[in-house]
Amino acid sequence: MNYADLFRVTLPETALEVAALLVLVVDLGLLRKAALKTRVAVAAMLGVAGCGAALWALYAAGTGGFSGSDGLLLAAGGTAGVAQTGILILTALTLLLLVDSDFTRNAGEYVAVVLMAAAGGLIIAAAQELLVIFVGLELLSLGLYILTAFAKRSGKSAEAALKYYLFGGMSAAFLLFGFSYLYGLTGTTSIWQIKDAITISGPSALLYVAWVLIVAGLGFKIAAVPFHLWAPDTYEGAPAPAAAFIASVSKVASFALLLTLSLNWFTPGPWVGGQREFVEKVLGQYYQTWPKLATILLIAAAASMILGNLAALAQISVRRLLAYSAIAHAGYMLLGIATMPRYTGGVDLFHFYLSTIGPFRQSANAVLYYILTYGLTTIGAFGVVGVVERATGSDRLDAFLGLHKRNPVLAAVLMVLFLSLAGIPPLVGFWAKFNLFAAVLGMSGGPVPFALVSLAVGMSAVSLYYYLQVLKRAYVMPAADETPIHAHPVTMGVLVAIAAAVVVMGCFPALLQGWIAGFYPVG
Amino acid sequence: MSGIPILTLLTVLPLIGAAIALFSGRHARGVALFTTLFSLALALVIWTKLPADGSIGLVERAAWAPSLGIEYHLGVDGLGALMLVLAAIVTLMSVDAAHRVHHQPGLYYGLVLVLESGLFGSFTALNFFHWFLFWELSLIPAFFLIKLWGGARRGPAATQFFVYTMAGSVALLLAFLAVYLSTGSMDFGQLTALAQSGALEQMVTAHLGPVTLWLAIAVLAGFAVKVPMVPFHTWLPAAYAEAPSPVTMLLTGAMSKMGVYGLLRIAIPIFGPQIAQIRTPLLVLAVATVVMGAWAAAAQKDLKRIFAYSSVNHLGYCLLGIFALAVPAAGAAAKASQAAALNGVILQMFNHGITAAALFWFVAMMQMRTGGIRGIDDFGGLRKPAPVLAGLMGIALFSSLGLPGLNGFVGEFLIFRGVFPLAWVAATVSVLGLLVTAVVVLTVIQKVFSGPVPEHWAKFPDLHESEWIALAPVIGLMLLVGLVPQLIVGSVNPTVQNLLSHWRF
Amino acid sequence: MLAWTIYISFAGALLLALLPKGKPVMACWLALGLAVAGLALGVAGFAAGMGQGRVVIVDAAWAPSMGVHYMLAADGISRVLVLLTGLAAVAGVLFSWNVELRTNQFFAFYFALIGGVYGVFLSFDLFLLFVFYEIAIVPKYFLIAIWGSTRREYGAMKLALYSFVGSAMVLIGLLAAYTTAGSHSTALMDLAHAGLPVHFQMWCFPLVFTGFAILAGMWPFHTWAPTGHVAAPTAASMLLAGVVMKLGAYGCLRVGIGLFPHGLDPWGFSLLGVGSWRDVFAVLAIIGIVYGALVALAQTDFKFVIGYSSVSHMGFVLLGLMTLNQIGVTGAVLQMFSHGVIAGLLFAIVGRIVYDRTHTRQFAELETMHLSRRLPFAAWAFVFAGVASMGLPGFSGFVAELQVLIGAWTAKPWWACAAGIGIIVGVAYTWRALQKAFFSDVIPTAHELEQEQAHKFAAITWPEIAGVALLGAATLAVGLYPRILLESIEPAVKALLAGGVQ
């Protein structure tokens, strides 16, 4: 166990923790008497600086992971690198949205909690071992519960936080229970070794139970059906910057975790060396054991797509609409994670395995692309909602009436972001969906994946309806009140930058794709 | 082929005149008169330049859309040239008769000139697309002329006219598409040659099955509506009655001839054998047209309707003559009968055009004097207050009756001369038509011109100078053709011989 | 060079969105300039490309990892349709000269739509085509929802959702084709030569074809069209009927038939005389022709007549495509151009010239207004357009319908007969509309005459005259000299039918 490695690999987390403490010190110590606005601004800027430092640290850390005695504990580079970069950038953006908000007087505490939760997210993204996963998950989740409750003057905030906490606590318990079964089955908590052990020992009832429990725990984090019930209330009750954080960063982290599990458990190998007959025997057993587990994820994916989109149709609160749409998007992404290649014979298992390496990589990249761009878009969406809420006092559809007159730039940003969520080209949301569906079909062309992709495309079409409802209020229907809406320049700057990024990345999808691909060493 | 494309010039000239007339307001009539006079001059020039052997001359050809068999192919023989002259004369008469168009005169004369262009185009076309274009083109002005300046029930009359004619046109179009599909050609000359050699039926059967007869029927239907032939004539009385009389002159004098011309140029040459197969029902219908037209005329009380049905009757003779040609005829005598019949048909086309137009002109003049009244029982003894009118109209009426010495006789005589040997039953029954027509004409003369004069007509104005000067050439033409038919037959006969030699039944 | 039509349209849209509010005239002139520039480019590209086959304009790697190319190219069919778009764009701007509400936004959405349309016609990469196809959907929604008339929000949403569902079907087909061909490339030529298995084509073809055909107004998915057309403001209905429905038909041809030719092969069994997808879609097209015509005959709202007539005419296009022979498909493409121009003219007259002055589209009310006297320009323009719509020779519709009928005769004679019925009914409803709206026989009372004198209609403005002249000249020119377009269309159709997209 090389603690120098540990220090190097966790340098970003450390930077965030240091920044958190610094914010607390500055806010409680130096700025005691300053106006709320100043305190909030300073705290946010310090937080952003902290994220920046963490980013730098991430790149300075190199690509070697940190291994314990059992195996890799924390990875660096690859999926982890992408996810961690994404988390840090998105955190910075949500902190920028904090500027000019007045839902709390405890600015320093808020930013500190955000940074610490982000650190938890970084851990999850890199974790390769069950207990590390749990630690990171709890760090992230506890932070999120607190953030949800931060608007102390709002009853909704408290209610949402309580629901979130109770639900989350239970899911965490399930998760841990599932992990414990895995440990019981295999005697190890390293993800890789668990895979090897179970491949050799074969499937068992306990494995399935463990897996279901794990899915319950993880499904909660990504708000997949049927573990989604917390999402609408939390999205509705949390203060806007916090909701943005929950909707983006925690999702990125959670999906990164799912990807880690998927890439490790749902792909056999890599085996370097080893006799071919041995490898083939193992492969045979592998394919009998693991891929079936993905089925439950497929069911959750389909259910999320359907329920998320259909329930969103009926919403009159834009926040709840975003929540249900988040459930739907989680469904699409789960589809990317859960689609497994189908072995139909004809070629020996080893070559079959080799042929699946490319598609797995592709679908992992597609999921990463999707979650990063989705996170970005969601932050923008909550930013807009936040501005409108502060001006009109509500997040109902009617609050958006006549937005194009009251603040044309804001309305334009809203249009770009919502159309991107609906999957309209040339915005990035479309490319993300296309990429994902192409990767899913490239993985397996069988009737089930095809049917699910058709379902996804169909549900996307349905989603246009509710996104257009909001845009209709903003552009088409006459305004009830025509007083201009003003937003803080920083907020507007962030929103415009996000919208611009959505457009640019949509027109030039190779930019982000190339960047993601750059995280994987060739070969 | 001379350097100047005279046929194109003739066709385009009225269109230019129409464009000018449209914006000339009160001077539109002058523009129209000038244009029609110039057209008449051109038509006469064309008449003089015909090839002596009766074949098609003054040919103009240019590629248009070769991939569809569409070619710009114009040409005239005696038949076509005579029709051009007829169209020019009748249009001139119509413009002359339309003295006082109060309501939008520019539009009125513009439409008349467009109609004239449609007539010219359809009489010179030798490719289906071009012909069909002008055939359809003539419909629109006719519809609007009836619809906008017509009588009390002009709306339904115009619509009925339009719908019937359109339906016929669609049938024509579909049939020709089938022919094009089988043969790859839309050229009348090529198709005639194919029909003559029997290849046409083979090609159609090869491509589409044994439908040649149905195609022939479709084509016949299209023309049957236009001529009209019983039972497709029901649009005619209303249209002729409701249209303003100058427009009726055009309808009866020229447009109905488009139908007969179509039969002669298109239906018979291309579908001869098929027509021969159904010649008996066709002859029956022709006879029915003759007889029914006459009987119906006798039952009418409105002068316009009388003359309308009488037109049906007169055109029935043309149909009789045409379908009689389909009767198998061998030997020199039979050939001579065929030539006589065909000559008669063509002459009848010309003569009836002039005469019928003149008759409606007279009705127009009478309507102008009576403020629109034109019932046969409304008049009486007009011979006294208006002797010139009575005299000139009497000449026209007798021509319509077929009195020898006037132009109406020559055509009918030749037709009967030709049909009797070929189809004596049909000819005999048709004589009934002659008799009833005589009754009709004499009744008109008696009721309108002779007898006691009712008081309110005592001061019925006679023809003005300008009117009988305008009429004089027409009446003169009737007498001339009646006394010296050789003027026309001389040029038409070579064409007749040429046509008969190319037709195969 | 043709690619600049796309770029100026989008750039223009952005520029227009940024114009200061409250200056409608400036927006109108800028829009006109953009549209004329696009038309000029289209004409230049058309002339330059005559006699050449497919000309590649741009081919850049877009997402190399997936094999997606930014590939623009034009063959004869594309050039003709780009020309149509240019004409429709200019005419649309001219007929929108009187839009006063949020004028710059109107033209911004308008040019976003036009840009998308140009893009579809010039794309030779399936993914790029799809992108432009989808881009065109959202501006349509806003154009109708904000500036439309009868039931505009409902009509707009229905249109948007139908289009989106159609494009969803296309997307599924696109994904399936892409992955079945090995996930190498989305270029149309590559996919056409990828050798997609026949049984795959058998189900992918109807999916993609139906997806595109929804936008083309194929029965029974046409119901968005009448509602949408009636709800839309004049320029939008001109574009919708004139150009956007052609997007669907173009997709059916270029993608459906081009990529999945074996999808049209006989199934091997036949059900009630229908033995292949070709038969199915031909029958649906014919039903559309006849049904659209019959329903148009029964309408009491002037604009609905034109809306349903669009459904009927598009049926001709689809029928022509299903004949799968040179002349039928050529006729279909020519009909796309012809109907685009004529429908534009009809909607312009009904919407801009008549409705904006009379504020009613109901025949019962129009009958009493004596429009032939009070609006002679509108009446005679409608005679011209109506006669062209009926398919009278001398106008572009005749040649197009002629070719479709010949093609249909060759394929299956009863198709031609059924289509012929559609033509006849077409004459009927056009004539009925003409009579009822302009030339009714209702005699005005003295009181009505007084009212008419007191409330004269606004004079016909120069943009209206220019628009009518432009479109009228286009249909007349093509009608009298169809070779202008046929020379471009025929070789392209030949190549397409011969070897996939080639």
Side-chain angles (χ1 to χ4, degrees):
Chain A
M1 196 156 302
N2 187 347
Y3 282 99
D5 263 347
L6 177 61
F7 182 68
R8 172 180 56 81
V9 168
T10 55
L11 206 49
E13 287 87 335
T14 313
L16 284 180
E17 299 291 336
V18 167
L21 292 172
L22 193 62
V23 167
L24 279 173
V25 163
V26 166
D27 185 59
L28 292 172
L30 300 176
L31 294 177
R32 245 322 170 50
K33 302 266 179 11
L36 180 61
K37 281 212 174 131
T38 324
R39 286 172 47 215
V40 167
V42 169
M45 290 307 150
L46 281 176
V48 172
C51 291
L55 259 177
W56 173 84
L58 191 58
Y59 286 97
T63 53
F66 166 66
S67 309
S69 52
D70 255 356
L72 197 60
L73 287 178
L74 287 172
T79 317
V82 178
Q84 287 178 329
T85 314
I87 290 173
L88 288 169
I89 296 180
L90 294 174
T91 310
L93 287 172
T94 57
L95 286 173
L96 283 173
L97 281 182
L98 185 64
V99 171
D100 197 40
S101 48
D102 62 351
F103 60 86
T104 177
R105 285 190 345 219
N106 307 79
E109 285 89 327
Y110 178 89
V111 174
V113 173
V114 167
L115 291 174
M116 289 195 267
L122 291 181
I123 295 180
I124 300 175
Q128 305 284 319
E129 202 259 8
L130 295 182
L131 287 174
V132 176
I133 291 175
F134 191 72
V135 164
L137 208 54
E138 285 304 286
L139 183 54
L140 175 63
S141 305
L142 290 172
L144 293 179
Y145 307 146
I146 301 173
L147 289 175
T148 312
F150 238 87
K152 285 198 281 198
R153 282 170 293 190
S154 158
K156 266 204 197 149
S157 177
E159 178 191 342
L162 191 62
K163 284 184 187 167
Y164 195 14
Y165 171 59
L166 289 175
F167 213 98
M170 208 158 57
S171 318
F174 274 129
L175 188 68
L176 197 54
F177 198 29
F179 282 173
S180 72
Y181 272 5
L182 277 183
Y183 176 71
L185 277 173
T186 60
T188 164
T189 55
S190 159
I191 295 181
W192 289 29
Q193 298 201 344
I194 289 177
K195 172 177 76 184
D196 286 345
I198 293 196
T199 306
I200 293 174
S201 66
S204 65
L206 215 51
L207 173 65
Y208 293 130
V209 172
W211 177 243
V212 171
L213 292 169
I214 294 174
V215 167
L218 294 175
F220 157 79
K221 279 272 9 112
I222 60 172
V225 167
F227 314 106
H228 65 284
L229 295 166
W230 60 272
D233 292 309
T234 308
Y235 278 49
E236 195 181 9
F245 186 78
I246 298 172
S248 59
V249 173
S250 79
K251 285 267 167 65
V252 173
S254 320
F255 271 101
L257 172 61
L258 269 173
L259 270 177
T260 309
L261 291 180
S262 157
L263 281 172
N264 279 306
W265 284 348
F266 295 144
T267 38
W271 283 293
V272 181
Q275 283 202 309
R276 192 175 160 125
E277 294 88 41
F278 169 74
V279 169
E280 284 188 351
K281 172 166 161 262
V282 171
L283 271 176
Q285 265 185 277
Y286 170 81
Y287 280 116
Q288 279 192 328
T289 314
W290 284 101
K292 293 188 205 157
L293 297 180
T295 316
I296 190 174
L297 287 177
L298 281 178
I299 298 176
S304 305
M305 288 192 275
I306 297 176
L307 187 123
N309 280 307
L310 293 182
L313 289 174
Q315 300 306 316
I316 43 175
S317 152
V318 175
R319 279 185 181 232
R320 289 183 85 92
L321 190 149
L322 285 172
Y324 280 108
S325 101
I327 296 172
H329 284 276
Y332 303 138
M333 288 187 272
L334 264 184
L335 191 60
I337 293 180
T339 306
M340 293 291 118
R342 239 179 7 143
Y343 179 63
T344 47
V347 67
D348 66 275
L349 279 173
F350 189 67
H351 284 102
F352 174 69
Y353 153 65
L354 284 178
S355 73
T356 62
I357 296 181
F360 263 112
R361 169 63 45 224
Q362 246 200 319
S363 67
N365 282 356
V367 173
L368 280 172
Y369 190 100
Y370 199 109
I371 189 58
L372 288 179
T373 53
Y374 172 75
L376 186 68
T377 317
T378 304
I379 292 180
F382 272 103
V384 175
V385 171
V387 171
V388 172
E389 260 179 349
R390 289 198 54 205
T392 62
S394 107
D395 71 326
R396 299 275 145 139
L397 284 173
D398 290 342
F400 286 81
L401 282 174
L403 190 61
H404 78 278
K405 278 210 183 107
R406 305 177 72 176
N407 190 330
V409 179
L410 198 64
V413 167
L414 181 72
M415 171 134 82
V416 168
L417 295 176
F418 270 40
L419 290 181
S420 173
L421 285 174
I424 303 268
L427 303 170
V428 78
F430 168 73
W431 179 261
K433 281 200 173 114
F434 179 82
N435 202 10
L436 187 66
F437 298 148
V440 166
L441 286 179
M443 175 83 87
S444 160
V448 170
F450 191 78
L452 287 172
V453 167
S454 305
L455 179 66
V457 172
M459 288 291 121
S460 265
V462 170
S463 76
L464 182 65
Y465 178 80
Y466 56 78
Y467 289 122
L468 274 182
Q469 290 304 316
V470 181
L471 292 179
K472 187 161 94 161
R473 303 294 188 289
Y475 274 92
V476 177
M477 293 167 70
D481 169 13
E482 291 201 8
T483 50
I485 294 181
H486 294 296
H488 194 272
V490 170
T491 314
M492 286 310 291
V494 167
L495 291 176
V496 170
I498 293 179
V502 164
V503 173
V504 169
M505 285 198 292
C507 290
F508 302 101
L511 289 175
L512 186 59
Q513 265 195 313
W515 178 78
I516 293 178
F519 275 83
Y520 300 94
V522 176
Chain B
M1 278 192 249
S2 70
I4 311 170
I6 196 169
L7 293 178
T8 309
L9 192 63
L10 180 67
T11 314
V12 167
L13 180 68
L15 287 174
I16 301 176
I20 301 176
L22 200 58
F23 297 108
S24 307
R26 281 174 308 129
H27 304 292
R29 183 159 180 262
V31 173
L33 273 174
F34 178 77
T35 314
T36 44
L37 275 168
F38 199 55
S39 313
L40 180 55
L42 271 180
L44 288 170
V45 167
I46 292 173
W47 176 259
T48 58
K49 283 195 187 274
L50 284 176
D53 61 355
S55 63
I56 295 188
L58 295 173
V59 173
E60 297 169 28
R61 284 187 105 126
W64 197 352
S67 59
L68 288 173
I70 296 178
E71 196 190 6
Y72 187 75
H73 187 189
L74 305 187
V76 282
D77 57 4
L79 170 61
L82 187 63
M83 291 298 105
L84 289 176
V85 172
L86 174 67
I89 294 178
V90 170
T91 315
L92 180 57
M93 286 166 71
S94 169
V95 171
D96 234 334
H99 277 293
R100 293 180 224 149
V101 176
H102 296 291
H103 171 56
Q104 289 185 291
L107 186 60
Y108 176 89
Y109 290 108
L111 285 173
V112 168
L113 288 174
V114 172
L115 183 53
E116 188 184 26
S117 175
L119 290 167
F120 288 151
S122 121
F123 288 139
T124 54
L126 290 177
N127 181 287
F128 176 73
F129 177 74
H130 185 85
W131 177 84
F132 192 66
L133 192 148
F134 281 97
W135 170 272
E136 298 283 279
L137 186 65
S138 62
L139 265 185
I140 313 290
F143 172 82
F144 280 109
L145 284 168
I146 302 177
K147 174 86 179 177
L148 296 177
W149 289 273
R153 278 178 312 219
R154 58 188 185 275
T159 310
Q160 204 181 13
F161 161 74
F162 186 78
V163 169
Y164 266 74
T165 320
M166 259 302 189
S169 304
V170 175
L172 262 172
L173 177 64
L174 285 177
F176 259 90
L177 285 184
V179 168
Y180 169 73
L181 193 65
S182 314
T183 61
S185 167
M186 283 207 187
D187 187 270
F188 293 153
Q190 280 178 9
L191 288 173
T192 309
L194 282 175
Q196 212 182 5
S197 65
L200 180 72
E201 179 152 16
Q202 283 172 2
M203 287 165 121
V204 171
T205 314
H207 271 93
L208 298 169
V211 294
T212 324
L213 183 60
W214 289 106
L215 297 182
I217 292 179
V219 170
L220 281 173
F223 293 123
V225 172
K226 196 77 167 186
V227 172
M229 183 164 81
V230 159
F232 301 108
H233 69 286
T234 43
W235 60 271
L236 186 141
Y240 279 28
E242 298 304 323
S245 297
V247 174
T248 317
M249 290 165 70
L250 273 174
L251 287 176
T252 185
M255 280 191 81
S256 56
K257 309 303 174 292
M258 285 169 80
V260 186
Y261 175 84
L263 282 172
L264 288 174
R265 180 69 73 204
I266 302 172
I268 304 278
I270 301 179
F271 293 104
Q274 287 70 36
I275 292 181
Q277 282 178 28
I278 51 169
R279 64 175 179 275
T280 317
L282 286 175
L283 276 170
V284 169
L285 285 177
V287 171
T289 310
V290 168
V291 174
M292 197 240 74
W295 276 112
Q300 299 303 316
K301 294 289 173 211
D302 173 350
L303 273 177
K304 278 177 94 165
R305 282 183 182 259
I306 294 177
F307 294 140
Y309 277 109
S310 172
S311 279
V312 175
N313 160 273
H314 280 95
L315 289 164
Y317 297 123
C318 292
L319 293 173
L320 183 65
I322 294 176
F323 294 136
L325 295 172
V327 172
K335 294 282 180 228
S337 300
Q338 283 186 330
L342 191 50
N343 268 306
V345 166
I346 297 179
L347 263 173
Q348 176 76 337
M349 285 164 81
F350 182 80
N351 292 330
H352 171 260
I354 307 281
T355 311
L359 281 174
F360 279 102
W361 195 346
F362 283 114
V363 174
M365 285 193 272
M366 289 170 72
Q367 273 189 284
M368 243 186 341
R369 287 157 171 73
T370 64
I373 299 178
R374 54 178 199 245
I376 194 175
D377 293 323
D378 295 326
F379 300 106
L382 287 183
R383 200 179 42 183
K384 288 219 191 68
V388 183
L389 173 65
L392 293 180
M393 188 163 175
I395 296 180
L397 281 168
F398 278 115
S399 166
S400 175
L401 184 153
L403 196 70
L406 293 171
N407 63 344
F409 171 74
V410 194
E412 289 175 10
F413 171 73
L414 281 173
I415 290 177
F416 276 101
R417 150 81 186 81
V419 173
F420 251 120
L422 296 172
W424 65 270
V425 177
T428 317
V429 180
S430 304
V431 172
L432 266 177
L434 284 176
L435 294 173
V436 178
T437 306
V439 171
V440 169
V441 166
L442 290 172
T443 312
V444 169
I445 295 180
Q446 190 252 322
K447 287 217 170 158
V448 172
F449 292 120
S450 51
V453 185
E455 255 196 51
H456 49 273
W457 294 139
K459 298 248 177 64
F460 195 86
D462 204 352
L463 290 183
H464 305 309
E465 242 187 42
S466 56
E467 284 171 332
W468 64 258
I469 288 181
L471 272 171
V474 177
I475 304 291
L477 191 60
M478 289 188 206
L479 286 165
L480 187 64
V481 175
L483 294 171
V484 196
Q486 197 51 27
L487 282 175
I488 300 186
V489 178
S491 296
V492 166
N493 196 32
T495 306
V496 164
Q497 299 297 347
N498 195 359
L499 286 173
L500 282 174
S501 71
H502 281 114
W503 290 357
R504 205 200 84 172
F505 288 100
Chain C
M1 186 204 340
L2 279 174
W4 281 98
T5 53
I6 308 176
Y7 306 144
I8 21 174
S9 299
F10 282 121
L14 195 58
L15 202 60
L16 282 160
L18 296 172
L19 276 186
K21 283 191 233 198
K23 297 234 174 105
V25 177
M26 198 195 319
C28 286
W29 280 104
L30 178 58
L32 185 62
L34 287 168
V36 169
L39 176 60
L41 284 170
V43 169
F46 182 79
M50 282 230 266
Q52 305 195 22
R54 185 171 23 88
V55 172
V56 176
I57 305 173
V58 169
D59 187 359
W62 196 14
S65 58
M66 306 217 17
V68 175
H69 293 249
Y70 182 77
M71 181 170 179
L72 298 176
D75 68 357
I77 301 175
S78 320
R79 286 191 280 270
V80 167
L81 291 172
V82 165
L83 197 59
L84 169 68
T85 312
L87 284 169
V90 174
V93 171
L94 286 171
F95 284 110
S96 305
W97 215 258
N98 63 337
V99 170
E100 305 242 305
L101 170 72
R102 292 157 76 175
T103 315
N104 62 326
Q105 283 184 5
F106 177 85
F107 285 116
F109 283 123
Y110 183 91
F111 277 100
L113 176 58
I114 294 276
V117 171
Y118 275 129
V120 172
F121 290 140
L122 290 172
S123 296
F124 259 72
D125 178 286
L126 185 53
F127 180 78
L128 183 62
L129 193 149
F130 184 78
V131 164
F132 279 121
Y133 194 77
E134 290 251 300
I135 289 181
I137 296 181
V138 171
K140 273 187 301 201
Y141 173 80
F142 285 108
L143 278 173
I144 300 178
I146 305 178
W147 290 275
S149 54
T150 317
R151 291 173 88 198
R152 55 179 182 261
E153 285 174 28
Y154 169 74
M157 186 61 85
K158 194 168 180 180
L159 169 68
L161 288 179
Y162 269 70
S163 310
F164 210 54
V165 166
S167 61
M169 291 168 80
V170 171
L171 180 61
I172 298 176
L174 188 166
L175 284 168
Y178 170 69
T179 47
T180 310
S183 301
H184 295 304
S185 158
T186 54
L188 279 177
M189 296 169 300
D190 295 340
L191 285 173
H193 292 139
L196 297 166
V198 174
H199 66 89
F200 170 77
Q201 290 190 26
M202 274 290 175
W203 67 259
C204 200
F205 170 77
L207 182 69
V208 171
F209 192 90
T210 310
F212 279 118
I214 291 178
L215 198 60
M218 180 172 81
W219 188 91
F221 308 111
H222 66 285
T223 47
W224 63 267
T227 326
H229 287 134
V230 170
T234 305
S237 24
M238 287 170 71
L239 282 186
L240 258 183
V243 176
V244 169
M245 283 173 104
K246 314 303 176 283
L247 285 183
Y250 177 79
C252 288
L253 177 61
R254 184 73 79 196
V255 180
I257 299 181
L259 292 188
F260 310 111
H262 288 293
L264 292 156
D265 291 345
W267 295 327
F269 63 89
S270 99
L271 195 63
L272 292 177
V274 163
S276 66
W277 287 115
R278 179 185 182 216
D279 294 335
V280 171
F281 288 117
V283 168
L284 288 178
I286 290 175
I287 296 180
I289 297 175
V290 179
Y291 172 82
L294 287 173
V295 175
L297 196 53
Q299 296 304 311
T300 55
D301 178 323
F302 203 177
K303 214 169 175 186
F304 266 107
V305 173
I306 316 292
Y308 278 107
S309 95
S310 284
V311 172
S312 183
H313 283 282
M314 286 307 292
F316 263 98
V317 174
L318 292 170
L319 180 64
L321 291 179
M322 285 297 102
T323 60
L324 290 182
N325 52 50
Q326 169 78 10
I327 200 168
V329 178
T330 308
V333 177
L334 192 61
Q335 174 77 334
M336 285 191 222
F337 181 92
S338 164
H339 176 253
V341 171
I342 296 174
L345 193 52
L346 287 169
F347 275 112
I349 296 170
V350 174
R352 170 72 183 95
I353 306 185
V354 174
Y355 180 67
D356 281 356
R357 291 176 172 80
T358 62
H359 302 297
T360 174
R361 293 189 306 254
Q362 299 302 316
F363 282 136
E365 293 175 42
L366 290 172
E367 266 182 337
T368 62
M369 287 189 179
H370 314 109
L371 292 176
S372 60
R373 248 185 320 107
R374 298 168 71 190
L375 277 181
F377 181 76
W380 292 102
F382 192 82
V383 170
F384 185 88
V387 146
S389 171
M390 278 195 287
L392 207 75
F395 298 94
S396 49
F398 176 73
V399 187
E401 285 176 5
L402 190 81
Q403 289 184 301
V404 169
L405 282 174
I406 295 177
W409 262 120
T410 316
K412 284 206 185 161
W414 76 265
W415 289 358
C417 297
I421 297 179
I423 299 184
I424 297 176
V425 183
V427 172
Y429 68 69
T430 315
W431 220 244
R432 172 177 175 266
L434 177 73
Q435 300 243 63
K436 279 190 180 269
F438 296 106
F439 294 103
S440 73
D441 293 324
V442 173
I443 302 185
T445 62
H447 174 70
E448 278 176 352
L449 280 172
E450 263 177 42
Q451 291 285 335
E452 286 172 18
Q453 281 300 321
H455 303 289
K456 283 203 193 275
F457 287 134
I460 306 280
T461 58
W462 72 264
E464 290 168 288
I465 300 179
V468 168
L470 179 67
L471 293 175
T475 181
L476 205 54
V478 173
L480 290 176
Y481 194 63
R483 277 223 311 228
I484 320 176
L485 296 184
L486 285 179
E487 265 172 3
S488 292
I489 301 178
E490 278 162 358
V493 168
K494 195 162 176 195
L496 201 148
L497 287 176
V501 177
Q502 209 247 359

